[in-house]
Amino acid sequence: STYTITSKNIRTYINDNGGLTSVVKDGDILSFKGTFSNEVIYITKGVKITGNSPKFYNSTFKVTSGNVLIENLEIINNKADRVNAWGIYVNQASGVKIMNNKISVCDSKAAYAIYVLESSYIDVLNNELTSEGDYLTFTLLAYSCEDCNFANNVIHTKGTGDVYNFKPERCLDG
């Protein structure tokens, strides 16, 4: 099914804790319309997230399911009042496509527009990604991933210029 989600009816499809409600099934299309603020949305089913350029302020999509498509969103996270206010975070998923989005993140600790962790067969295509930060500033970060495609993205990064020497025992989560 296709559902049009607005700020007035969002809780029908996404509960107060950010989880998909029982109304949403694998294969559904969630088409967002309008402006949304301070949402952390957990994508735990194989759904299509789309819209006609809806705007999400200080919001994050956390994807833990395969067969997900996220397209045509604008996410603007500017010094959010929570930690790890990344645009899109994909964790232990397979077969996720992130396309044609505009994501901007400004965060003093961990400024990631898109963060892909321990996942496979992820396509990140044709996005405009911007990040600005004072510490961990990785506009597009992938760690422990395989068989992924990152192509045709426009990436802007403004950091301190300091090099972060990664070691396996060090944290990437800010």
Side-chain angles (χ1 to χ4, degrees), residues 17-36:
N17 296 321
L20 300 176
T21 67
S22 60
V23 171
V24 179
K25 307 290 186 214
D26 281 322
D28 283 350
I29 299 170
L30 307 181
S31 181
F32 288 85
K33 182 178 179 182
T35 301
F36 304 85

Side-chain angles (χ1 to χ4, degrees), residues 7-172:
S7 59
K8 294 191 186 320
N9 73 0
I10 189 170
R11 295 300 166 234
T12 302
Y13 308 100
I14 298 162
N15 66 34
D16 287 330
N17 296 321
L20 300 176
T21 67
S22 60
V23 171
V24 179
K25 307 290 186 214
D26 281 322
D28 283 350
I29 299 170
L30 307 181
S31 181
F32 288 85
K33 182 178 179 182
T35 301
F36 304 85
S37 295
N38 302 307
E39 295 287 343
V40 177
I41 300 172
Y42 296 88
I43 307 302
T44 56
K45 298 174 185 174
V47 295
K48 178 178 178 180
I49 306 292
T50 189
N52 187 6
S53 297
K55 288 189 176 14
F56 291 85
Y57 293 96
N58 294 331
S59 298
T60 301
F61 286 83
K62 294 189 174 189
V63 181
T64 57
S65 176
N67 303 313
V68 171
L69 170 62
I70 299 177
E71 66 174 4
N72 303 327
L73 307 182
E74 184 170 358
I75 302 171
I76 303 157
N77 293 351
N78 189 3
K79 299 181 174 117
D81 291 334
R82 61 185 171 83
V83 296
N84 301 339
W86 310 319
I88 298 174
Y89 175 44
V90 180
N91 187 0
Q92 298 183 349
S94 180
V96 175
K97 289 187 178 178
I98 301 169
M99 305 168 43
N100 304 316
N101 299 286
K102 185 174 181 182
I103 303 171
S104 174
V105 175
C106 180
D107 188 285
S108 64
K109 300 281 187 227
Y112 308 156
I114 297 176
Y115 180 13
V116 182
L117 177 65
E118 298 176 356
S119 297
S120 58
Y121 302 101
I122 309 299
D123 292 325
V124 178
L125 310 170
N126 304 314
N127 298 283
E128 184 175 341
L129 308 173
T130 303
S131 69
E132 180 176 343
D134 298 326
Y135 187 53
L136 299 178
T137 307
F138 299 102
T139 307
L140 174 54
L141 174 62
Y143 181 73
S144 191
C145 297
E146 51 189 39
D147 297 313
C148 297
N149 293 308
F150 305 112
N152 301 319
N153 297 289
V154 176
I155 296 175
H156 306 277
T157 305
K158 183 178 178 184
T160 62
D162 293 337
V163 175
Y164 179 79
N165 291 319
F166 175 75
K167 295 177 186 152
E169 65 275 8
R170 290 186 70 184
C171 178
L172 285 174

